Amino acid sequence: MDSANWWRDAVVYEVYVRSFADADGDGTGDLAGLRSRLGYLAELGVDAVWTTPWYRSPMVDGGYDVEDHRSADPLFGTDADALALIAEAHRLGLRVLIDVVPNHTSDRHPWFRAALAAGPGSPERARYHFRPGRGPDGERPPTDWRSVFGGPAWTRAGDGEWYLHLFAPEQPDLNWDHPGVRAEFEDLLRFWFARGVDGVRIDVAHGLLKDPAFPDLGVDDEGIVRPPDRSRHPHWDRDGVHDVYRSWRAVAGEFGPDRVFVAEAWVDRPDRLARYVRPDELHTAFNFDFLRCAWDAGALRGVIDSTLEALEAVGAPATWVLSNHDVVRPVTRFAGDLALGRRRARAALLLMLALPGGAYLYQGEELGLEEVEDLPEAVLADPTWERSGRTRRGRDGCRVPLPWSGTEPPFGFTGGDARTWLPQPARWRPMTAQAQAADPDSMLCLTRTALATRREHPALGDGTMTWTPAPDGVLSFTREPGFGCVVNLAAEPCELPDGARVLLASGPLDGGRVPPDTAVWLAGNEVV
C-alpha cells in the first residue's frame, strides 16, 4: 500500500488519554504519559494512534465539551507536550489522528458566553440554536427532542429563551447553517494539519445539521424516538452534512493526499454509511453494525456482506471496530462469563483483522480487559448517570485506567501516590501488560502476532474475500494469495480443511478440529 493510501488497511489504536498513562502523578492520564508509552504501541504493531480530546475543557463529558480546540487542557499537559507527542509518534513510524468535536461546544466556549450575554435575536446567538419556548409563558421546550444522555434536549437560559443540546446542557449545539461556524472549523483543520496531524476523527459526524422547521419527533412511552425514515430525521444523518464534509476533504487535500478523516457516524443502514465515504467526502467511517452484532455466525456474515457491498459501490474500504470509549467492552458484551467472553473476544479479534479493509483497536482490547461493572456509584463521572436519574451507569466501565505493571493498583498507571481517577479492580493483577508480555498464550501476545502476520501476509489488509462452504454456525472464507480464516461460533468442534497449515489460532486446537468460540488463520494453496 503506497503512503498516500495508508488509511485503506491501517490498524489504528484508540487512546482515551485520561486513562492511558499518567506521567505527572496526579492519577489522570496525560500527553506526557502517552508519549512515554508510544514505544509499546509501535511494538504492538499498529499503524497509527487516535487520541480522544485533550483540549481545554471543563470535563463535563470527558473532554468532549470543548472550550478551545487549539490549546491543551492543563489536566493533560501543555501545547508543547502535544507537539512533542506528534513528533515522537512520527519518529517511531506512527501516524497521529486527533478528535474534533463539531456538533457542539462547551458552554464555557467564548462563543456561547457571548451568546448568553448578547441576548435574544443577537448575531452571537445565531451560532447556536436558541428558540422561544412553548406555552403561554414559553415555559415548555420548543420541541420534544431528547438528549442522548437523558432528559430534554433543551435548557432555558436566564432570559427565557431555550437552547439546544443533544448531549449535556453544558454542550450547546452549534448552528451549522451559520457561515462563521463552517469557516471556524475549516480554519481549525488547517491549524492541526499544519502542525503535523495525519488525520481527524469526527465526533458525532452524523449530527451537525438540524431541520430549520424544528418539528416534533414523537416519543414513545420509553422516551425512544422511532421516526419512520431515518433519512428524514430532524437532527441525525441529514443530507446537508455531506456538503460540510466535501469542503473538509478539500481542506485536507491542501496538505497532501495522505491526510485523512474517519467518521463516527451512527446510521441505520450500510448504504447511509457509504454516503459519508464517497470519493469527494470522508475517507473512512467506523462500522458500528459490526460492533453491535451478536456473537452469531449468520448475523456476522450478514453484516460483513452488507458492509462490503455498500462500500464497494463507492470505492471505500471497510473500517472494522469491536470497541471504543463509548461501548461495553467485548469480553463482557459477548458473554456473561468472563472466561467465555475472553475466548470469544480473542476469536473476534482474529476475525476482524482478517477482513478486508482497516481496523481500530481500543486501549485495553489487546489485554482482554472486561467492562468494570462494579465501580462505586460515588466515582461515576459519565453525565449519563445523573441525566438518567441514576438509572444508567454510563460509559465509565470501559474507561478505567490501564494496568501496566506490578501486582496491585495502580498497576504502573501512575508513578505518584494519587489514586487513579477511576479505581482499577484488584483482579486485573494477571492482566497487566507486563504480565501478559511474559505469557506467549496471552491476549497481548496474540494481538502482537496477529498484527505482525497481518502486515507481512500479502493477502491481508485491503482487498476482497470469498466465503467457502462451512457447517452451520461456522464462518469460513479465503483471501488471495493463500490465506484462509475459520471461526467456529457453533456449539461443537468443526474440521479444518485437509492439508491447510495453521498460521495462528485464537486458542488451543483439538488436533485437526477447531473448538467452539475459536478462530484460526490458515495458509497454503489448500485453503483457496
Side-chain angles (χ1 to χ4, degrees), residues 84-124:
L85 170 68
I86 296 168
E88 178 66 9
H90 288 166
R91 187 185 72 79
L92 292 170
L94 297 168
R95 298 179 188 262
V96 177
L97 284 73
I98 61 169
D99 226 312
V100 166
V101 186
N103 182 71
H104 46 263
T105 69
S106 165
D107 61 350
R108 297 189 190 178
H109 192 284
W111 279 4
F112 193 71
R113 292 187 180 195
L116 290 180
S122 63
E124 290 83 357

Side-chain angles (χ1 to χ4, degrees), residues 266-281:
W266 294 89
V267 296
D268 61 353
R269 299 196 312 266
D271 63 301
R272 298 295 298 183
L273 185 67
R275 290 163 58 85
Y276 288 82
V277 290
R278 289 176 288 195
D280 61 343
E281 294 190 41

Side-chain angles (χ1 to χ4, degrees), residues 69 99-105 126-129 131 145 148 164-167 171-178 181-186 188-189 200-212 214 230 233-248 261-267 276 281-282:
H69 261 112
D99 226 312
V100 166
V101 186
N103 182 71
H104 46 263
T105 69
R127 297 190 186 108
Y128 295 89
H129 296 285
R131 293 290 183 277
W145 297 2
V148 171
L164 177 68
H165 54 86
L166 292 177
F167 294 86
Q171 295 169 287
D173 278 48
L174 286 164
N175 174 15
W176 273 85
D177 289 319
H178 191 292
V181 171
R182 298 194 181 210
E184 163 64 10
F185 276 85
E186 289 182 15
L188 175 68
L189 294 175
V200 171
R201 179 263 190 184
I202 305 168
D203 184 63
V204 195
H206 58 297
L208 281 62
L209 272 292
K210 279 74 177 176
D211 186 336
F214 284 87
R230 187 68 178 264
H233 198 287
H235 61 71
W236 292 143
D237 191 26
R238 294 185 58 76
D239 289 346
V241 300
H242 300 287
D243 290 334
V244 173
Y245 298 138
R246 289 186 187 97
S247 69
W248 285 24
F261 296 103
V262 58
E264 182 206 27
W266 294 89
V267 296
Y276 288 82
E281 294 190 41
L282 305 176

Side-chain angles (χ1 to χ4, degrees), residues 259-524:
R259 308 298 177 97
V260 303
F261 296 103
V262 58
E264 182 206 27
W266 294 89
V267 296
D268 61 353
R269 299 196 312 266
D271 63 301
R272 298 295 298 183
L273 185 67
R275 290 163 58 85
Y276 288 82
V277 290
R278 289 176 288 195
D280 61 343
E281 294 190 41
L282 305 176
H283 300 77
T284 59
F286 296 128
N287 186 345
F288 292 131
D289 286 346
F290 184 72
L291 181 152
R292 292 180 289 191
C293 192
W295 187 247
D296 175 84
L300 282 167
R301 178 165 176 167
V303 166
I304 293 166
D305 282 343
S306 61
T307 297
L308 294 177
E309 179 182 4
L311 297 181
E312 182 182 5
V314 295
T319 304
W320 311 100
V321 58
L322 288 168
S323 64
N324 62 38
H325 65 278
D326 286 331
V327 298
V328 174
R329 287 189 177 275
V331 167
T332 300
R333 195 170 71 242
F334 285 148
D337 173 74
L338 287 183
L340 178 58
R342 287 199 170 97
R343 285 202 301 275
R344 290 177 173 176
R346 290 168 67 96
L349 175 75
L350 292 196
L351 169 62
M352 177 176 73
L353 295 179
L355 294 171
Y360 276 69
L361 296 172
Y362 174 51
Q363 64 179 50
E365 192 174 342
E366 80 281 10
L367 301 178
L369 299 183
E370 77 275 16
E371 188 85 356
V372 182
E373 298 180 298
D374 55 355
L375 288 170
E377 292 183 358
V379 306
L380 296 179
D382 192 316
T384 300
W385 173 240
E386 295 293 343
R387 293 280 296 172
S388 67
R390 299 192 170 189
T391 60
R392 295 161 52 200
R393 292 176 65 87
R395 301 159 293 176
D396 290 319
C398 67
R399 300 176 176 183
V400 175
L402 289 189
W404 288 100
S405 60
T407 58
E408 59 184 24
F411 293 121
F413 173 79
T414 177
D417 296 328
R419 294 182 178 180
T420 54
W421 74 278
L422 287 174
Q424 301 159 310
R427 64 179 178 272
W428 277 1
R429 178 178 180 177
M431 306 301 294
T432 67
Q434 181 184 59
Q436 293 200 40
D439 178 5
D441 296 324
S442 69
M443 182 70 161
L444 177 59
C445 287
L446 175 69
T447 306
R448 286 177 175 171
T449 303
L451 290 175
T453 305
R454 188 179 191 274
R455 181 170 288 181
E456 294 165 1
H457 202 293
L460 297 178
D462 199 13
T464 61
M465 57 175 283
T466 302
W467 294 108
T468 54
D472 289 343
V474 177
L475 297 175
S476 179
F477 59 91
T478 59
R479 301 193 62 189
E480 294 184 356
F483 177 87
C485 180
V486 175
V487 187
N488 186 4
L489 296 88
E492 300 296 330
C494 68
E495 301 291 332
L496 285 174
D498 291 338
R501 177 169 59 89
V502 174
L503 278 176
L504 186 61
S506 65
L509 302 183
D510 179 14
R513 302 196 305 170
V514 182
D517 303 307
T518 303
V520 184
W521 286 2
L522 305 169

